[in-house]
Amino acid sequence: TTGCRWADMPIQYGSKSTAHLRFSELQQKGTWKKILSKLIKSAHKQGKMDLRNISIDSSSIPAKKGVMK
């Protein structure tokens, strides 16, 4: 899921189905990852990002059943 309520999109962005389709296409092509990567590199290069403290949202990591060995 994207966390976006497509039904709440402003009308100027077109229909919710079109917006979701475009979002999915960009996601499948890896466009969002490329944008994020370039933004992170740019911010770090400009001294606007401290990479010593990194946090990962655990909701994006699947939990496996059973005990880790």
Side-chain angles (χ1 to χ4, degrees):
T1 62
T2 64
C4 177
R5 288 179 36 108
W6 299 107
D8 293 338
M9 297 246 332
I11 192 70
Q12 64 261 32
Y13 295 121
S15 72
K16 61 184 178 181
S17 59
T18 299
H20 184 264
L21 176 65
R22 298 290 180 255
F23 176 85
S24 297
E25 288 173 348
L26 292 171
Q27 188 173 21
Q28 289 173 358
K29 292 179 181 179
T31 302
W32 297 121
K33 285 184 180 182
K34 291 175 189 173
I35 291 171
L36 181 59
S37 177
K38 287 186 180 195
L39 287 172
I40 289 171
K41 287 176 184 176
S42 176
H44 183 62
K45 195 175 197 179
Q46 295 175 40
K48 296 180 178 181
M49 178 177 273
D50 183 354
L51 298 178
R52 292 177 292 177
N53 297 310
I54 303 291
S55 176
I56 297 174
D57 181 354
S58 63
S59 66
S60 63
I61 301 171
K64 305 294 182 191
K65 293 184 179 182
V67 179
M68 291 181 58
K69 296 179 182 184

